[in-house]
Amino acid sequence: MPGTAAEYKMELTFDVHAFYRRTGTILNSLELEWLGLKFDDLSAIFRGYEVNLILDFCKCNQEYHIITMTEPGRLENRYVPGKRVYYLAKGDKNQNLAVNPFVGPNAALFEERVMKTALAIISDMNRSDKPE
């Protein structure tokens, strides 16, 4: 009788901060500049058209790896070609690890916190446009 094995068993977490700590996700653009990765954005994300920059970097620096945003809010600890957002990381390289706080038991609370933060930022931006 033939046997089968689960080669791709996803380990899904809901805790974004735990995922960032475990994978060593680099979220500081200054740290990326220190590594020699320069780009026009202040955020620490790489867009699809910049992915070759970090692919080449990871080939030369084996301790680093790529994290891909495969859906809004979902990050996978592996390189997935053809996506729009990527991160550089230096930590656990388990390719089956993923995070999506929007499907966890506290998804409604997380979504509310995200929306409140986004609305506060937009409100601050609107107020800063008004002359004093």
Side-chain angles (χ1 to χ4, degrees):
M1 178 183 290
T4 61
E7 290 181 38
Y8 187 73
K9 184 176 181 184
M10 185 61 71
E11 182 182 341
L12 182 64
T13 182
F14 313 115
D15 187 342
V16 176
H17 299 295
F19 176 84
Y20 287 156
R21 281 191 304 274
R22 181 172 169 185
T23 60
T25 307
I26 299 173
L27 300 170
N28 186 333
S29 61
L30 295 176
E31 187 175 348
L32 293 173
E33 283 187 29
W34 184 78
L35 292 171
L37 298 168
K38 297 188 183 213
F39 47 94
D40 297 332
D41 200 342
L42 292 176
S43 65
I45 64 171
F46 294 87
R47 290 172 180 74
Y49 62 86
E50 299 169 313
V51 74
N52 287 332
L53 179 69
I54 55 174
L55 284 171
D56 293 341
F57 180 83
C58 289
K59 282 181 189 173
C60 297
N61 301 279
Q62 297 286 321
E63 65 272 21
Y64 292 90
H65 66 282
I66 298 172
I67 293 174
T68 306
M69 181 179 285
T70 54
E71 298 173 14
R74 180 185 174 95
L75 298 173
E76 294 189 23
N77 196 30
R78 62 192 178 99
Y79 171 65
V80 179
K83 298 299 178 181
R84 297 176 63 191
V85 176
Y86 300 92
Y87 293 88
L88 185 64
K90 184 181 181 183
D92 188 342
K93 293 183 180 183
N94 178 356
Q95 293 190 359
N96 296 338
L97 182 60
V99 64
N100 189 345
F102 294 112
V103 297
N106 295 323
L109 294 175
F110 181 79
E111 190 172 351
E112 180 180 338
R113 188 173 44 207
V114 168
M115 292 304 295
K116 284 175 66 175
T117 303
L119 290 172
I121 291 169
I122 291 169
S123 179
D124 288 344
M125 289 170 47
N126 287 339
R127 281 196 298 262
S128 68
D129 289 342
K130 296 179 183 174
E132 294 182 22

